Amino acid sequence: SQTIHQWPATLVQPVGSPLSLECTVEGTSNPNLYWYRQAAGRGLQLLFYSVGIGQISSEVPQNLSASRPQDRQFILSSKKLLLSDSGFYLCAWGGGGLVPYEQYFGPGTRLTVT
Amino acid sequence: AQKVTQAQTEISVVEKEDVTLDCVYETRDTTYYLFWYKQPPSGELVFLIRRNSFDEQNEISGRYSWNFQKSTSSFNFTITASQVVDSAVYFCALSEAVKAGLIFGKGTKLSVKP
């Protein structure tokens, strides 16, 4: 069966510090991968998606970036965090291909920028 | 533009009551997919159901049922004989293509009291 891991589970970082969140998927090959952010009062927002290694598309311009160095690894980064980056970050995977089937979410990382 | 509206922000019921969560969507595509997710207090999003735009059959799974009506652009979710464990935030979502990810409504927080 497929499982998705995210770490760390919680993170408190000062403004201006760097960020690296990692997501890995097991039990599937060539998945589509996604990063979402859930901020208080703003719902769930798609940040990045990837249909393959090195292929990243950004949905929202911001100071975050994403990378996919391996087939089942997805990393969310920032060089300098802003207060507005606080939120709950969720990684998800979906079946590879062009049909948007359901996505399965990881446990999330709760980020607080102070 | 695509949009999902969940007009009910919070609903509170007593155990064993039936409850319906409303979802209205907007899309210009003729092919699209609709989803419901459950987010318990732990934060992880749990997939419940996917519906394709060309399949208007209603579905029942145990105490859960879904009513999809293209004529009113609605995809409502009913929980029969609610239980305390049903307490969570429920999200309705829409997807037209892989690159768009999931477009979520703002969620409905359901509280089931014993």
Side-chain angles (χ1 to χ4, degrees), chain B residues 21-38:
Chain B
L21 309 182
D22 298 333
C23 173
V24 174
Y25 62 92
E26 294 176 29
T27 177
R28 293 180 183 174
D29 279 15
T30 55
T31 300
Y32 52 89
Y33 300 80
L34 295 165
F35 307 82
W36 275 96
Y37 283 84
K38 175 181 180 179

Side-chain angles (χ1 to χ4, degrees), chain A residues 29-98:
Chain A
S29 297
N30 196 30
N32 294 325
L33 296 174
Y34 306 83
W35 278 111
Y36 290 84
R37 178 171 62 198
Q38 186 175 27
R42 293 173 63 183
L44 280 147
Q45 182 183 41
L46 176 67
L47 301 176
F48 301 93
Y49 69 90
S50 171
V51 298
I53 295 173
Q55 300 178 61
I56 309 295
S57 296
S58 172
E59 290 298 302
V60 181
Q62 57 213 329
N63 69 320
L64 299 173
S65 62
S67 62
R68 185 171 177 173
Q70 300 180 43
D71 181 45
R72 290 169 289 179
Q73 184 184 29
F74 206 21
I75 298 171
L76 182 70
S77 304
S78 174
K79 292 182 180 178
K80 287 186 178 182
L81 283 169
L82 306 173
L83 283 174
S84 58
D85 291 325
S86 292
F88 189 47
Y89 288 81
L90 289 155
C91 179
W93 74 271
L98 300 179

Side-chain angles (χ1 to χ4, degrees), chain B residues 47-64:
Chain B
F47 166 72
L48 295 177
I49 190 171
R50 167 175 56 91
R51 226 45 191 151
N52 309 326
S53 56
F54 42 86
D55 181 3
E56 282 194 75
Q57 271 193 330
N58 292 328
E59 182 155 339
I60 297 175
S61 176
R63 295 184 298 106
Y64 295 171

Side-chain angles (χ1 to χ4, degrees), chain A residues 36 38 49 97 100 102-103, chain B residues 37 39 50 95 98-99 102:
Chain A
Y36 290 84
Q38 186 175 27
Y49 69 90
E102 56 271 19
Q103 296 174 21
Chain B
Y37 283 84
Q39 188 176 41
R50 167 175 56 91
S95 184
V98 165
K99 66 176 184 178
L102 293 172

